Amino acid sequence: MSTAPECVLVTGVSGFVGSHVAAQLLADGYRVRGTARGSKLDSLKAANVAKNPNFEVVCVEDIAVDDLSAILRGVKCVIHTASPLAGRATAAEGLKAAVDGTMNILKQAFKAGITKFVVTSSWATTMDPTLDKMYQGIVLTGKDWGTVSEADLLSGTHTPFWNYLATKTLAELAAWTFAKENPTVDLTTSTVNPPFIFGPPHPDFLQVERGRLGTNGMVYALINGEPGRAMPPQLAPFYCDVRDVAMAHVRSLKAKPLENGQKRLLVCGGSFTWKEAVEHLDATRPDLKHRLPSPETAKPLPGTLSTTDVSPASAILGLEDYIPWNKCVTDTLDALLVAEKEWK
């Protein structure tokens, strides 16, 4: 006698990570119920993914306060990817969306009898929002945490990027506190903590909008401008391809913890600089030469780059062969070049 596939709720299914997570879940035979709001809801209903009988999208206008009991019926697991992007909210709004959104979904799902969760966090939560440890030549692990307070976040003295990283730390801390207070909650399958996420948007979901490229906007900046211009600012040079990030989320649903209880999974494909990316494109993509900045204008990194311990993700998830940065960059640009034709 056949049984119906498990239903997984994916919050923020219209987003970059959420769409790839949903696609991999569907490919693995799960049913997916995704949350979206506003115009994204109608757009998803008209997208290719809506043709899949195992996919449905439901309206959640504000995940921080909405009653989610109806959409949680029949759900076995929750993957929470929804989070405000840097620069699109005030510090208070970002805090409410990140922390209250995480806690609302965890508490209501737990009340509904759901105990298996995967929460999208960030590699940056291993250090202060100033990214102070990035150039100290150390190994960053799942035991490392940044120090940040709600009062500091709300002080109004920091950049939107600092605020965003702070909300990620406070949201993840809140999730782990909830898991500790409710031991039957299975955050074994845990928080997934990637650095900057690049990669091609999933073609079966929403169309790529020029003003909503997210982190891929940094990759697009490599070909968006006058030739020979100065290099874009070098932020954290660590990356993980969105397809690997999605794989980590999906594999987490069936994973078991290590004997030492490690549950916080750093995923990282390594590091590269914009200078290396431009030199790669210059050598391999003659069609883009006239659009590239000058690598000679790149500034050296300010110190010895730290590294990331991804061994727990390897042991728990079997995630070992990450998509190389050069393929990630090329695939991302190829997808954006297709989308670009619709922008003009």
Side-chain angles (χ1 to χ4, degrees), residues 31-94:
R31 287 191 298 125
V32 173
R33 183 175 297 158
T35 71
R37 62 179 181 175
S39 61
K40 293 180 181 178
L41 184 73
D42 293 332
S43 296
L44 278 172
K45 288 180 178 179
N48 285 337
V49 68
K51 299 174 183 177
N52 191 315
N54 283 330
F55 177 80
E56 64 175 313
V57 60
V58 294
C59 180
V60 174
E61 286 296 338
D62 189 345
I63 201 167
V65 298
D66 282 6
D67 180 357
L68 308 175
S69 54
I71 70 170
L72 288 167
R73 293 193 188 106
V75 169
K76 296 297 183 182
C77 319
V78 172
I79 297 182
H80 178 52
T81 74
S83 182
L85 292 176
R88 292 205 179 148
T90 65
E93 291 169 341

Side-chain angles (χ1 to χ4, degrees), residues 188-207:
T188 296
T189 54
S190 74
T191 61
V192 175
N193 299 60
F196 278 123
I197 306 171
F198 308 121
H202 201 284
D204 288 343
F205 287 75
L206 300 186
Q207 292 184 333

Side-chain angles (χ1 to χ4, degrees), residues 209-243:
E209 299 178 29
R210 184 168 195 160
R212 302 183 67 88
L213 296 182
T215 50
N216 276 343
M218 292 186 280
V219 179
Y220 185 62
L222 299 179
I223 62 167
N224 186 31
E226 294 297 322
R229 66 192 179 279
M231 293 285 291
Q234 182 68 62
L235 297 178
F238 299 92
Y239 86 99
C240 196
D241 190 287
V242 67
R243 293 163 289 189

Side-chain angles (χ1 to χ4, degrees), residues 62-66 68 80 92-108 150 167 170-171 174:
D62 189 345
I63 201 167
V65 298
D66 282 6
L68 308 175
H80 178 52
E93 291 169 341
L95 179 66
K96 179 178 182 294
V99 177
D100 292 357
T102 298
M103 294 314 300
N104 190 41
I105 185 68
L106 288 179
K107 289 179 178 179
Q108 291 200 44
E150 182 175 326
T167 62
L170 292 172

